[in-house]
């Protein structure tokens, strides 16, 4: 009889262990949840979706502008921290911001003087960046409510966003039907797939404008080490418009073919292109050997060990080092000062509609625009 308490203790202990293990296993699944995020001045309501994978990585996305408001990544100690600039509430996004985490369209990057010709007809866009049109106009895709549908599969959670841009919205021809799908997998990778169709010829160049800071928003990104698989740059004039020819990165501050600290090229460096961009705000032509999704860039914060790999099907990337951040915006207990975040905006070249030597950005009826970009996070 004296053995009975011992046996009961053992059984209870086993039961507790089994229950604990089961609960742990239940937590190790991917989830998506939804909550109210606020209301726009016109009464439209915005929602915030939280995607969490089996490792505990979290991505928050709002259907207002398709904005990534939060993204966590692990450091070399296994500690997670938010690594994207943004805000915790809707109001600062509505008030105005430099495209933090936003979907950009109908045309990402700049179009010279807000004008282009298509099929013999002239089109005029809003001038919203110096003498040029930028990122879709006054009310681009970053400032509209998208129709959202949750995705919840065994090892992947995601958010499908849909928007119909009407003919001549912001000056662009054709009714464009756009679908953007964010998916988070258990490899700590966030993928973004963009598709679009049109009922008449138009121009399309979609991207995401997330500002990354792998320190966990503790300091600027000047010590980040960046690699970009590119031999060629699209040089710009003083208004950020391509001058019409490509330039080798060899022997310039734009050579990131090996991991290089950002500070090495823009701190106390005399270079015409660095001067024109105020730092890095240029388009790199990716060195492709075949079509499809390719690893084209890596970013590492040496102190935390956080490491980001970026893949795309696009032909180019706009690498931007937050040169216009000026400390006037704050969020997440951080002040967004100059060079506090970096962007890797996968895309076609700037001003392509006015530069026939560049790859075309024209989309015609019967065609489907389809591109994918993936950001994968780890620590080294």
């Amino acid at each position: 009889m004296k053995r009975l308490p011992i046996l009961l203790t053992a059984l209870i202990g086993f039961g507790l262990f089994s229950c604990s293990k089961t609960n742990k296993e239940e937590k190790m699944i991917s989830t998506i949840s939804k909550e109210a995020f606020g209301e726009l001045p016109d009464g439209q309501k915005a929602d915030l979706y939280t995607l969490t994978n089996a490792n505990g990585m979290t991505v928050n996305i709002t259907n207002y502008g398709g904005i990534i408001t939060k993204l966590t990544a692990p450091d070399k100690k296994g500690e997670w921290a938010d690594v994207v600039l943004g805000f915790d509430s809707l109001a600062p996004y509505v008030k105005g911001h430099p495209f933090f985490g936003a979907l950009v369209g109908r045309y990402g990057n700049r179009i010279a003087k807000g004008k282009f010709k298509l099929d013999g007809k002239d089109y005029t866009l809003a001038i919203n960046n110096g003498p040029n049109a930028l990122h879709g106009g006054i009310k681009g895709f970053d400032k509209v409510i998208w129709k959202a549908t949750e995705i919840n599969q065994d090892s992947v959670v995601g958010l499908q966003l849909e928007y119909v841009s009407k003919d001549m919205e912001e000056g662009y021809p054709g009714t464009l039907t756009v679908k953007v799908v964010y998916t988070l997998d258990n490899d700590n990778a966030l993928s973004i797939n963009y598709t679009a169709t049109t009922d008449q010829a138009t121009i399309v160049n979609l991207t995401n404008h997330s500002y990354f800071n792998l320190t966990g928003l503790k300091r600027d990104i000047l010590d980040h080490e960046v690699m970009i698989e590119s031999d060629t740059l699209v040089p710009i004039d003083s208004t950020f418009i391509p001058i019409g020819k490509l330039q080798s990165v060899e022997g310039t501050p734009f050579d990131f073919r090996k991991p290089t600290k950002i500070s090495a090229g823009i701190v106390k460096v005399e270079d015409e292109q660095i001067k024109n961009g105020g730092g890095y705000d240029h388009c790199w032509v990716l060195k492709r050997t075949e079509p499809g999704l390719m690893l084209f860039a890596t970013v590492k914060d040496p102190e935390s060990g956080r490491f980001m790999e970026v893949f795309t099907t696009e032909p180019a990337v706009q690498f931007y080092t937050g040169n216009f951040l000026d400390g006037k915006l704050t969020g997440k207990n951080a002040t967004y000062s100059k060079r506090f975040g970096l962007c890797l905006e996968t895309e076609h070249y700037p001003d392509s509609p006015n530069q026939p030597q560049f790859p075309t950005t024209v989309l015609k009826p019967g065609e489907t625009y389809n591109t994918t970009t993936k950001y994968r996070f780890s620590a080294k």
Side-chain angles (χ1 to χ4, degrees):
M1 295 295 294
K2 292 181 180 179
R3 297 181 60 188
L4 184 58
I6 298 174
L7 179 60
L8 286 173
T9 302
L11 288 171
I12 291 170
F14 177 76
L16 290 173
F17 172 76
S18 299
C19 181
S20 174
K21 183 176 180 181
T22 301
N23 289 341
K24 185 176 180 181
E25 287 176 347
E26 287 176 354
K27 291 179 182 178
M28 297 295 286
I29 59 173
S30 300
T31 61
I32 180 171
S33 62
K34 171 187 171 183
E35 62 185 291
F37 195 50
E39 187 174 303
L40 301 182
D42 64 2
Q44 291 187 87
K45 291 178 171 57
D47 295 314
L48 185 69
Y49 295 82
T50 300
L51 284 58
T52 306
N53 72 4
N55 305 316
M57 179 177 173
T58 299
V59 180
N60 286 0
I61 304 166
T62 174
N63 62 336
Y64 173 71
I67 295 170
I68 298 171
T69 67
K70 178 181 179 181
L71 186 154
T72 63
D75 67 7
K76 56 190 175 185
K77 296 179 182 179
E79 297 178 359
W80 296 80
D82 192 357
V83 296
V84 294
L85 278 59
F87 308 106
D88 292 322
S89 61
L90 178 64
Y93 290 109
V94 176
K95 184 177 180 181
H97 64 107
F99 302 95
F100 288 151
L103 292 178
V104 172
R106 179 178 302 195
Y107 197 95
N109 218 315
R110 295 167 177 87
I111 294 179
K113 300 179 181 178
K115 296 182 181 297
F116 68 95
K117 185 185 291 286
L118 180 60
D119 291 341
K121 185 176 179 180
D122 292 320
Y123 293 92
T124 300
L125 311 172
I127 303 301
N128 62 340
N129 184 253
N132 306 311
L134 175 70
H135 291 337
I138 303 301
K139 188 178 180 181
F141 292 178
D142 60 297
K143 298 179 182 69
V144 300
I145 294 287
W146 295 64
K147 177 185 175 183
T149 304
E150 297 179 20
I151 300 169
N152 197 343
Q153 301 173 349
D154 291 339
S155 59
V156 172
V157 287
L159 186 67
Q160 176 178 292
L161 298 175
E162 298 174 87
Y163 179 68
V164 177
S165 175
K166 296 180 180 179
D167 180 32
M168 296 310 296
E169 181 176 295
E170 291 295 323
Y172 294 93
T175 296
L176 189 75
T177 302
V178 187
K179 182 186 295 183
V180 178
V181 180
Y182 289 98
T183 53
L184 176 64
D185 65 27
N186 290 334
D187 197 27
N188 292 344
L190 177 69
S191 297
I192 312 174
N193 176 251
Y194 310 79
T195 57
T197 56
T198 185
D199 64 354
Q200 69 181 85
T202 189
I203 57 172
V204 187
N205 192 28
L206 306 180
T207 191
N208 178 275
H209 208 295
S210 287
Y211 289 67
F212 296 97
N213 183 320
L214 301 187
T215 71
L217 310 185
K218 293 180 179 179
R219 56 191 174 278
D220 64 37
I221 47 85
L222 286 172
D223 283 339
H224 282 37
E225 297 171 352
V226 174
M227 184 282 295
I228 301 175
E229 193 68 51
S230 171
D231 297 328
T232 313
L233 181 76
V234 181
I236 56 174
D237 63 21
S238 61
T239 71
F240 296 88
I241 294 299
I243 61 176
K245 61 181 181 180
L246 304 182
Q247 171 184 311
S248 171
V249 301
E250 183 76 35
T252 76
F254 297 87
D255 190 349
F256 283 93
R257 290 174 293 185
K258 294 181 180 179
T260 304
K261 279 192 176 185
I262 292 174
S263 60
I266 57 178
V267 176
K268 297 180 180 179
V269 172
E270 293 296 327
D271 180 271
E272 182 181 8
Q273 284 300 307
I274 293 295
K275 180 180 179 181
N276 285 350
Y280 294 121
D281 194 359
H282 296 75
C283 180
W284 273 254
V285 178
L286 303 185
K287 185 179 179 181
R288 284 192 165 275
T289 56
E290 57 185 25
L293 200 65
M294 68 170 281
L295 172 64
F296 75 89
T298 62
V299 183
K300 182 181 180 181
D301 171 41
E303 185 170 326
S304 69
R306 289 191 182 91
F307 186 68
M308 179 173 72
E309 299 166 283
V310 192
F311 306 75
T312 194
T313 59
E314 287 281 68
V317 63
Q318 185 83 4
F319 175 40
Y320 171 55
T321 47
N323 312 319
F324 293 106
L325 298 176
D326 57 9
K328 293 180 180 178
L329 295 176
T330 60
K332 306 179 186 180
N333 299 315
T335 298
Y336 299 141
S337 54
K338 187 174 184 178
R339 292 171 184 151
F340 199 76
L342 67 87
C343 304
L344 290 164
E345 306 158 60
T346 54
E347 61 174 14
H348 273 61
Y349 310 173
D351 199 39
S352 291
N354 296 313
Q355 311 253 3
Q357 71 277 23
F358 289 171
T360 184
T361 54
V362 174
L363 181 69
K364 298 178 180 179
E367 300 176 340
T368 299
Y369 175 96
N370 188 354
T371 74
T372 300
T373 295
K374 179 169 72 171
Y375 304 89
R376 185 167 64 194
F377 299 86
S378 59
K380 291 190 174 183

